[in-house]
Amino acid sequence: MRLFAAVLPPATAVAELAEAVRPLRDDHLRWTAEAGWHFTLAFMGEVEERLLPELHARLARAAARTGSFALRLHGAGHFGHRSLWVGGAGDLDALRMLAERADAAARRSGVAMDQHHRYTPHLTLGRLRDESADVRPYVERLAPFEGTPWRVSTLSLVRSNLPVGGVPGEQPRYETVGAWPLSG
């Protein structure tokens, strides 16, 4: 199954962001569904079922070693000229540490992980449909966005079910297959 470790924002944070994004929505971007908004900590790709017990145990330990922390949705940015995201603010050191621990848990469980790189906290909002278009106007309009802080208290393991119907605009479906409380 295709898995990733994530921090899932609460419904109130998703609602605030949805309100900020609403005036920007147009057909130039393929917008991600609100139900799929999350901060990916460690993308694992396809994980063999035999590795799941060890992965679950190691993610539980990673969560137990990490205290809860404050986070909020903040500003905007882009990867390349096509991918639009909203960032995070608050205790980003704790978020990065949780990402490091989730990555290490996956590696030690035998999950073949991509090359490790510095974690950039972001929640993907959409990708441009047209290569000749530019995502920067969206970034400029979202740059002043400041969400209400919340406490991150859970590390989630999420399964990504990719679209198989061939329906234009179909989105991946995400299901939480494991969740562990952070300490404190």
Side-chain angles (χ1 to χ4, degrees):
M1 66 184 71
R2 190 175 164 91
L3 299 174
F4 59 90
V7 165
L8 307 176
T12 53
V14 169
E16 280 182 338
L17 181 58
E19 187 63 29
V21 168
R22 190 167 287 113
L24 304 179
R25 287 192 180 263
D26 60 27
D27 291 339
H28 297 294
L29 283 168
R30 275 190 322 267
W31 296 91
T32 57
E34 293 170 20
W37 286 350
H38 59 268
F39 285 89
T40 299
L41 300 173
F43 180 75
M44 299 169 203
E46 291 295 329
V47 176
E48 296 176 44
E49 195 160 331
R50 68 180 178 77
L51 300 177
L52 292 180
E54 180 74 10
L55 177 61
H56 282 227
R58 289 186 179 276
L59 288 172
R61 281 197 293 272
R65 292 178 47 216
T66 307
S68 67
F69 56 92
L71 189 64
R72 72 181 187 279
L73 298 172
H74 164 80
H78 61 93
F79 293 123
H81 69 282
R82 297 195 61 206
S83 187
L84 173 67
W85 50 263
V86 67
D91 194 346
L92 296 182
D93 288 340
L95 183 63
R96 285 187 182 100
M97 178 59 71
L98 186 57
E100 291 284 334
R101 288 177 174 156
D103 182 89
R107 288 176 192 284
R108 291 181 181 135
S109 299
V111 176
M113 300 290 286
D114 287 339
Q115 183 178 352
H116 186 71
H117 56 277
R118 180 161 169 78
Y119 179 69
T120 302
H122 71 282
L123 182 154
T124 302
L125 294 172
R127 290 174 183 80
L128 284 172
R129 295 176 189 273
D130 180 356
E131 297 255 348
S132 66
D134 192 349
V135 76
R136 287 179 294 191
Y138 298 94
V139 173
E140 290 168 10
R141 292 202 39 210
L142 272 177
F145 177 74
E146 288 291 336
T148 303
W150 79 89
R151 298 289 303 167
V152 174
S153 59
T154 305
L155 168 61
S156 297
L157 182 62
V158 180
R159 180 178 185 171
S160 173
N161 299 296
L162 297 177
V164 293
V167 177
E170 190 176 7
Q171 300 267 336
R173 290 181 346 275
Y174 299 109
E175 87 184 89
T176 302
V177 295
W180 300 273
L182 303 185
S183 66

